[in-house]
Structures are given as C-alpha cells and as structure tokens.
Amino acid sequence: MIKITFVASDGERREVEIEEGETAREAALYNDVPGIDGDCGGVCACATCHVHVDPEWIDKVGRLMHDGMEADLLQFAEGTTEYSRLACQIPMKPMLDGLVLHLPEQQY
Amino acid sequence: MDSQIAEPDAAARIASIPIEEIDVARPSLFQNDTIGLFFDRLRAEEPVHYCRESYVGPYWSITKFDDIMSVDTNHKVFSSEAKLGGIAIQDMHSVEGALELEMFIAMDPPKHDQQRKAVTPAVAPSNLQLLEPIIRKRAGEILDELPIGEDFDWVDKVAIELTTMTLATLFDFPWEERRKLTRWSDVATAAPETGIVESYEARREELIGCAMYFKTLWDERINEEPKNDLISMMAHSPATRDMPFLEFLGNLMLLIVGGNDTTRNSISGGVLALNQSPDEYAKLDADPSLISKMVPEIIRWQTPLTHMRRTALEDWEIGGKQIKKGDKVVMWYLSGNRDESAIERADQFIIDRKNPRHHLSFGYGIHRCMGNRLAELQLRIIWEEIHKRFSRVEVTGEPERLFSNLVRGITRLPVRLRAR
C-alpha cells in the first residue's frame, strides 16, 4: 500500500492508503476525501480532480505536459499553478509513497 | 420508462422499422417523446449508426456512453468549427437569411481557448457564491406568489420566471425588462417551423435588437469599475473587450441560451420525474439533504440538450464503423445517459445515486459546459426553497413538449401545489 496525504484548502490533512496502479483520484474517492469530484470517471475529460502537487514532490510526480488533454482541460480550471495536475493522471507507484497533494477550494 | 407514449402501439411500430431507415433527427420524435424507444434500439442493435437521408442531410449517430466520451474528448479529430457546420445537427450556415453568430462553443483551439478563458471566471463557483443570497431571496419571492390547491402552468409561472430571474441577476440586467432575456433565448435557437419566429429575417431583426440592447449595457459597464456580472467581466477582459460585433453577440447568446433553456427545462423535468417516481419523491420529502445529489440526477434524467454535433477532420473508426473526413457526427447525450453499460439502472430516476455526476448532459472535454456548477447551484437553491414551502408539486395533466431535436423542452406542465 502507498500513502498519500491530501491537504484541504482549509489546511486539514487526511492520510490515506491506496494500492499500486490506482490513481490519486481513486485514493481520494475510495476514502471519501472531500474536494475531489472526478465527474468523468477518471478518464481525463472534465478537470474536476484538480490538485496542486506539493512542490517537494513535483519532480517525482512529473510536471504537466504542455501539449496534451490534461493541459487542454486545466487551462480552464480556477486557480491553477505550475504545480497543478489532474489526480486521475497520477498513477501511484512505490516511489510516490508519502505523496502530498493540496486540494483547491472548488472543482468545476 | 420516462416516455409517455401517446400512441399505444408505438413500441411495436418502432421495433419493426428497418434499422437503416431509422432517423432520430425528426423533431416530432422528441415532441411526442417516443425518441427513447429509437435510442434503445440503436444502442442494442447499431450503436454507431449512419442515417443516409434526413432533413438535415446524412449523419452518424453515436449512442453509447463510452463512444460519446471518446468523440467529445477528441477535439483534434472532431471539430466544433461553425464554418464546417458547428455544434448542432442542423448546420449553422445552411439557412439563408439566418444570422451567423460566432461563439466559442463553435470554435476549435486556439481561438476557443482564449475566449473561453476570458468568460470562465464569471461562472467560477467562488464567484457564484456571492450571488447565492440574492438568487435565493428572489426565488423565494417567486414561490411565495404561487396559488395553493389550484391548477396552473408550472413552466410559465415558475420554470421560466426562476431561470429568467437568475439570468437577470448574473447579467445585472434591468430588472423590469428581464423577460426580454427569455424571448431572446427562445429566438436564438428557433427555426420558423417552431412558430417562435415567422422567418429567419424576423429572427435576424430580433437578434440585432438584442445586440443593440446589450451594446448599451456594455458601454455603461465598460465606463464603470469592473463588477461581478457577466457583461462587466466581458467588457473589461482583454480577451473579449475588442470582439467583432457578431462574436460579441454570439458569446452573449451563448451565455443566455446556455443558462436559460437548459435550467428552465431541468426545473420542469425534475417536477415531472418526481411525479413519475413517487418513491423517490417520498425519499426527498423524508430527507431534503438529498437535494445536492438529486440535482445532478435531474440533469441526467432531463438531458436538456439532447446532443452536440462534430465534424470529422480525418477518417476515424468508432465502434467498428468507418467515419470519413467531413462526415457529420452526432453525440446523442440523451441516449448515452440511458446506457446501462455505463450507468446502473439508467432507465430509472434515483435521487441518491452513488456517482450522480457521472452523466453526459454537460458534455466532456474542452467544450464541457462551463456553467455546470452554476446550473447545479441554481437548481439546488430552487429545490431547497420549494421544499421549505410545498409538501407536493403534483402534476395534474399531460406535459407538452417542444418540437426540437436539440433542446429537450417542456413547454407546458399543469400542476397543483400542496402547502407544507
């Protein structure tokens, strides 16, 4: 099992566990972490699982690729930064054990 | 089933039509609400279906949830460009004398992206929360005026009123003249055969009148400090403030239509759905906290826009069928929203689904409805206010539906209220 900590916009931290191969989106939804909607079902089609990767983890997770669907969708999301990613596009692997993801105020 | 079939043997008749002759573009099928039976057949027998001849020319129908998702998220192959025909089954440029509006919903990147980004902050949830108290107050006032225990038309007295009221609030539109917004929305999507306008010329004149009206508001707002309303935001944003006239009008109409027909018909559709599923109405009555889950279910159930259309920019295979460059491809959201392979018990209205937002009504990909959280907010407020006041909104007669293959509209819904 791999650990992820979700930090809500009010600072509240939730540590959850997820199996290798699942995504950060599933980690939130399976554990009822509020703040991730994931309307489309995890297929990179709606941008309602927007997270800010903790700066310390961004190189391990990988930065947003600038010429793909994820970037096409995130450009319309609110409050994006250089650390923005869609949680459905972050597959969990052992090197991400302990990952910290910050949640935006709202998803839409 | 949600279809109230007027003709008793309709199901048998529809089952006997040769599959290649099925044409789901006919607006009468939506008006008499037999369309669901046609989509049931297409999903079961030929989920990617080619219609050779119709009043809108040849077109492909995409009817399954996952196939629709794959087209909607592939904007590089499936174009929304107005000049190729745009986003509806009827080409945008095909009718002489029609006003060709330019709006970003009917554009491809990069122009689409710039314009959408300019308007999006206006409907960001954080911004909309500022409007919630005023929407709630005005909704309450409209509901307090309604007669108890007496038949009236829900569409006219409630659905249109509430939607127009929110739209006027969003635009900070002159309050006494707010029904103009309703009229312009109706006109923008109208063809002469609907009876809403007499001719395309008449439509053109009304829309120019609309543009002039908004130009005046625009000129006022641009000289004031930026505010939270949609016109002020467009007037002050670098991406939208120097728009050519038709683009300006197009984007305004997009916001008006986007926020009007859709919400109006979801308000009526929700009442109808609850009446057709009395157990669900009882659940709601017992636990009004279900409203936030019921709202996306209402939007799925109603599917206020039946489809979006794309044009293939290259040959592409979907579901074993070969789509050719230049072909018209119609994603039938109304059908995908009843697809059992993607949504459990899709033919039932269930107000406490586990993943109620997993539906197609807002589309997916870069053209996904930018007002989706606004729509939910409005519907949530309205249902909370209805619940406080009335124990039942009882449907007392047959609904009447719109003659349209795009807007799934309810034009009349007789109801009677019971006070709480």
Side-chain angles (χ1 to χ4, degrees):
Chain A
M1 295 296 264
I2 301 166
K3 287 192 171 62
I4 306 185
T5 300
F6 289 95
V7 185
S9 58
D10 63 4
E12 196 186 318
R13 300 172 78 88
R14 274 279 303 276
E15 190 182 276
V16 301
E17 292 193 332
I18 189 79
E19 280 179 43
E20 183 176 353
E22 298 276 19
T23 66
R25 170 188 177 276
E26 271 72 51
L29 294 185
Y30 294 171
N31 292 289
D32 294 318
V33 176
I36 296 272
D37 294 342
D39 294 3
C40 77
V43 295
C44 196
C46 70
T48 61
C49 64
H50 174 204
V51 292
H52 299 124
V53 178
D54 192 90
E56 294 200 1
W57 286 91
I58 191 71
D59 291 327
K60 280 188 181 161
V61 170
R63 284 176 193 264
L64 181 66
M65 303 279 284
H66 282 282
D67 56 350
M69 192 64 186
E70 191 181 348
D72 287 349
L73 290 169
L74 268 172
Q75 64 177 326
F76 307 121
E78 199 182 16
T80 51
T81 68
E82 59 177 311
Y83 304 110
S84 288
R85 291 292 310 267
L86 293 180
C88 71
Q89 300 304 301
I90 306 177
M92 296 310 296
K93 41 200 171 188
M95 67 180 287
L96 294 181
D97 193 23
L99 176 64
V100 179
L101 298 175
H102 301 264
L103 298 166
E105 218 170 304
Q106 299 248 6
Q107 303 280 354
Y108 78 114
Chain B
M1 283 298 297
D2 56 325
S3 38
Q4 298 272 317
I5 298 152
E7 183 194 344
D9 59 354
R13 184 177 53 76
I14 291 162
S16 71
I17 301 171
I19 195 89
E20 65 276 8
E21 285 175 23
I22 286 182
D23 171 16
V24 286
R26 285 152 53 209
S28 59
L29 306 182
F30 295 83
Q31 188 171 40
N32 66 23
D33 204 29
T34 53
I35 188 67
L37 295 167
F38 287 86
F39 285 138
D40 289 348
R41 268 201 77 190
L42 291 186
R43 282 197 310 279
E45 297 172 38
E46 203 159 311
V48 178
H49 175 265
Y50 191 63
C51 177
R52 223 162 276 285
E53 268 182 47
S54 82
Y55 89 102
V56 290
Y59 63 92
W60 289 97
S61 284
I62 313 293
T63 62
K64 299 272 286 184
F65 192 104
D66 289 348
D67 290 337
I68 291 169
M69 185 76 103
S70 78
V71 172
D72 228 356
T73 54
N74 192 354
H75 56 268
K76 291 197 170 85
V77 171
F78 296 104
S79 169
S80 295
E81 176 55 50
K83 289 186 180 64
L84 299 175
I87 51 159
I89 195 165
Q90 179 148 35
D91 287 357
M92 282 178 107
H93 56 72
S94 65
V95 187
E96 221 175 302
L99 194 60
E100 285 173 38
L101 300 174
E102 281 198 46
M103 42 182 97
F104 63 84
I105 194 175
M107 292 175 189
D108 290 332
K111 201 171 173 188
H112 160 270
D113 300 354
Q114 295 155 10
Q115 294 201 359
R116 177 168 171 143
K117 268 188 250 179
V119 189
T120 302
V123 291
S126 50
N127 191 36
L128 297 172
Q129 277 168 349
L130 305 173
L131 293 169
E132 177 167 345
I134 180 163
I135 292 175
R136 190 178 290 282
K137 180 172 166 281
R138 287 174 169 176
E141 286 163 4
I142 291 167
L143 296 172
D144 284 338
E145 291 294 307
L146 297 172
I148 303 288
E150 192 181 296
D151 280 17
F152 68 90
D153 178 16
W154 178 263
V155 175
D156 181 54
K157 283 223 156 43
V158 186
I160 293 178
E161 263 309 300
L162 283 172
T163 317
T164 305
M165 171 277 287
T166 9
L167 214 46
T169 307
L170 286 171
F171 283 110
D172 197 10
F173 193 86
W175 189 243
E176 295 310 316
E177 298 199 89
R178 64 191 184 277
R179 279 266 172 157
K180 283 187 194 297
L181 289 168
T182 319
R183 173 68 192 165
W184 291 331
S185 173
D186 288 343
V187 170
T189 53
E193 55 267 31
T194 58
I196 292 168
V197 287
E198 275 179 21
S199 63
Y200 281 106
E201 268 311 313
R203 173 175 175 271
R204 187 190 173 89
E205 268 173 39
E206 281 204 58
L207 291 181
I208 289 172
C210 161
M212 301 318 267
Y213 195 102
F214 272 108
K215 185 80 178 74
T216 311
L217 293 182
W218 176 284
D219 290 341
E220 280 170 27
R221 307 273 155 94
I222 206 163
N223 292 315
E224 296 167 2
E225 286 297 301
K227 297 189 298 175
N228 278 331
D229 71 85
L230 293 173
I231 301 172
S232 178
M233 296 191 87
M234 284 176 74
H236 288 278
S237 160
T240 44
R241 68 185 173 210
D242 300 318
M243 265 183 195
F245 186 71
L246 281 179
E247 244 175 74
F248 162 63
L249 182 56
N251 283 309
L252 271 174
M253 293 321 289
L254 178 57
L255 295 169
I256 295 174
V257 176
N260 190 52
D261 273 341
T262 49
T263 312
R264 177 202 303 178
N265 291 312
S266 296
I267 294 171
S268 298
V271 168
L272 190 55
L274 284 168
N275 274 266
Q276 287 167 343
S277 308
D279 293 351
E280 299 301 306
Y281 211 151
K283 262 193 227 170
L284 169 68
D285 215 35
D287 182 6
S289 75
L290 292 175
I291 287 172
S292 57
K293 288 194 131 188
M294 175 179 78
V295 161
E297 174 68 351
I298 287 175
I299 295 167
R300 175 186 79 91
W301 190 249
Q302 179 62 22
T303 317
L305 291 178
T306 65
H307 75 273
M308 283 281 123
R309 162 264 177 92
R310 301 290 184 254
T311 307
L313 296 178
E314 54 187 87
D315 293 359
W316 199 261
E317 197 188 289
I318 305 172
K321 298 290 174 94
Q322 191 63 52
I323 286 166
K324 294 281 175 209
K325 180 180 176 178
D327 283 356
K328 185 189 286 195
V329 178
V330 182
M331 302 175 283
W332 291 106
Y333 296 147
L334 181 59
S335 173
N337 275 341
R338 296 290 185 278
D339 182 354
E340 290 284 336
S341 58
I343 300 166
E344 218 176 296
R345 291 189 287 159
D347 63 342
Q348 292 173 38
F349 175 73
I350 301 170
I351 67 168
D352 51 357
R353 284 183 180 275
K354 196 165 184 313
N355 300 308
R357 281 179 173 152
H358 190 55
H359 63 67
L360 294 166
S361 300
F362 294 129
Y364 281 107
I366 62 167
H367 293 287
R368 180 172 164 81
C369 173
M370 65 175 223
N372 72 78
R373 295 302 192 253
L374 166 61
E376 291 185 356
L377 175 78
Q378 284 183 72
L379 288 171
R380 182 173 56 74
I381 295 171
I382 287 163
W383 277 102
E384 285 167 358
E385 296 305 310
I386 290 172
H387 182 85
K388 279 183 204 163
R389 290 167 175 79
F390 313 118
S391 65
R392 264 297 186 280
V393 182
E394 186 190 347
V395 174
T396 55
E398 283 300 306
E400 287 172 20
R401 292 173 183 275
L402 187 67
F403 182 83
S404 167
N405 59 24
L406 175 62
V407 175
R408 190 155 180 255
I410 298 171
T411 51
R412 194 168 168 275
L413 186 65
V415 299
R416 191 179 304 163
L417 299 175
R418 269 186 252 154
R420 186 163 290 284

